[in-house]
Amino acid sequence: MSWILIILFILVGIVLMILEVLVLPGHVVFGLLGFVSFVFGIVESYLIYGNLAGNITLFSSFVLAIVCIILSLRGRTWRRAGLYSSIDGKAGQEVSSLQKGDKGITVGRLAPMGKVRFQDKVLEVKSDYGFVDSNCTVEVVKVQGNKVLVKPCVEEN
């Protein structure tokens, strides 16, 4: 086995152990594979190249592992890897033109939530006064943020 393969086993072992601790906690398989790969690289250097080369490999591997752990735990490392974009869009509906007392017609049944057409807008509303059938006139009771509360209108004949 060449030095390149021994170094590759040690590096893969370090990477897998760091991934198991920091990125994939609870996935013991990655940690075990990393540890086995790390130890295998060191043992092979002892078996193939002798005690002096094995000791040098052991010492340098532990120094490299400690340096990698320190670098991976620094905050600046994770800031570079993180996603820091923001979403500027709004969820919900534009209800700023509605006021208490405005009237609309239900598009579907309000049970207790449903859609109501106010002039040219169709908005999601809530009825606190029970179920309201389709094509009934409703009146806005309260507008709070993007939530609209309505009640059915009593039709006079």
Side-chain angles (χ1 to χ4, degrees):
M1 182 177 291
S2 70
W3 276 110
I4 295 173
L5 277 168
I6 291 172
I7 292 171
L8 187 66
F9 273 111
I10 292 170
L11 289 177
V12 167
I14 292 171
V15 168
L16 285 177
M17 287 188 287
I18 289 174
L19 279 176
E20 197 275 326
V21 171
L22 297 177
V23 180
L24 305 165
H27 295 278
V28 181
V29 175
F30 290 105
L32 287 175
L33 284 175
F35 182 74
V36 167
S37 176
F38 185 75
V39 170
F40 180 76
I42 294 170
V43 168
E44 282 298 309
S45 69
Y46 272 107
L47 292 176
I48 295 173
Y49 296 105
N51 285 341
L52 179 63
N55 288 336
I56 292 171
T57 304
L58 177 66
F59 178 74
S60 60
S61 297
F62 278 114
V63 169
L64 178 65
I66 290 171
V67 168
C68 287
I69 289 170
I70 290 171
L71 288 177
S72 65
L73 291 176
R74 287 178 33 189
R76 201 168 42 170
T77 303
W78 292 104
R79 267 186 258 133
R80 278 188 243 142
L83 179 62
Y84 294 102
S85 62
S86 63
I87 298 172
D88 296 331
K90 292 182 180 179
Q93 51 194 351
E94 183 61 40
V95 296
S96 62
S97 63
L98 285 181
Q99 295 181 0
K100 183 176 179 180
D102 286 350
K103 295 187 179 180
I105 298 177
T106 57
V107 175
R109 184 173 187 211
L110 303 184
M113 302 278 299
K115 295 193 183 268
V116 174
R117 179 179 309 277
F118 296 99
Q119 289 105 20
D120 59 342
K121 292 183 184 176
V122 176
L123 302 173
E124 185 82 20
V125 299
K126 180 179 180 184
S127 170
D128 277 345
Y129 297 88
F131 298 108
V132 180
D133 288 329
S134 182
N135 293 323
C136 288
T137 305
V138 292
E139 181 180 340
V140 175
V141 176
K142 184 178 183 184
V143 178
Q144 186 175 29
N146 65 348
K147 295 179 179 134
V148 180
L149 295 173
V150 296
K151 70 176 184 179
C153 288
V154 178
E155 307 262 340
E156 296 179 16
N157 288 339

